[in-house]
Amino acid sequence: MLKIGITGNIGGGKTTVSKIFEVLGIPVFYADDAAKKAMVEDDTLISDLKEAFGAESYFADGTLNRKHIAAIVFNDKAQLAKLNSLVHPAVFRAFDNWVANQHAPYVIKEAALLFESTSYKMCDYSLMVTAPLELRIARVMQRDGFTQAEVESRNAKQFSEEKKIELANYIVRNDDTELVIPQVLALHNRFLALAAK
């Protein structure tokens, strides 16, 4: 089964593009949602997180103590890298299991850190949703109520758009200069043709 990875920096519109593919009947795996789920359901990951960040990483009822982990990793690159090195393999496992249960010509993996986590290597092709930084900042400030500094800080933790564009096989421009749906439809037809080979 053909696997397409979709990514984009914060505010770029990768979720919007993924939802269009879903309307076209293509199953989408949302890596961020899978990571949150794995952190409370994947026994291996739970035990690794407790070992790395302390038993207080979880409350007595088994829910994740997000504030505790966030306080450790927020301004510490080494600790954030450690967290990612534990979570990413669990998401990879979840993706493999999910793909095995799909019955479509192709599937999509939507992941903010598609390139950073190296999970693009699990996909046949990658697609980057791009938009200018000013537009992305404005979108996230309006959508999530973040300050400009908060958006810029989150954006700085991802690879640059330029680097992701270099790595991607396909680009969707979500910058209000081109309509997104025709771009997605063209890619959908292309992926169907690739899947049929």
Side-chain angles (χ1 to χ4, degrees), residues 72-99:
I72 294 171
V73 306
F74 191 68
N75 286 315
D76 187 327
K77 280 187 175 172
Q79 293 288 2
L80 180 61
K82 184 196 284 185
L83 175 65
N84 286 336
S85 75
L86 297 173
V87 175
H88 290 155
V91 175
F92 296 172
R93 290 193 295 273
F95 180 61
D96 284 340
N97 292 336
W98 178 84
V99 168

Side-chain angles (χ1 to χ4, degrees), residues 111-162:
L113 303 178
L114 188 75
F115 296 119
E116 295 88 338
S117 70
T118 71
S119 69
Y120 72 98
K121 292 177 180 175
M122 300 172 74
C123 300
D124 299 293
Y125 298 97
S126 57
L127 191 164
M128 169 70 179
V129 183
T130 178
L133 180 61
E134 305 72 46
L135 181 57
R136 292 190 287 111
I137 288 171
R139 283 176 184 160
V140 178
M141 287 171 67
Q142 187 178 5
R143 180 187 75 195
D144 300 332
F146 289 170
T147 64
Q148 180 166 338
E150 285 172 322
V151 183
E152 287 172 350
S153 163
R154 287 181 182 228
N155 187 61
K157 289 182 170 73
Q158 300 180 318
F159 285 177
S160 70
E161 276 219 332
E162 293 73 25

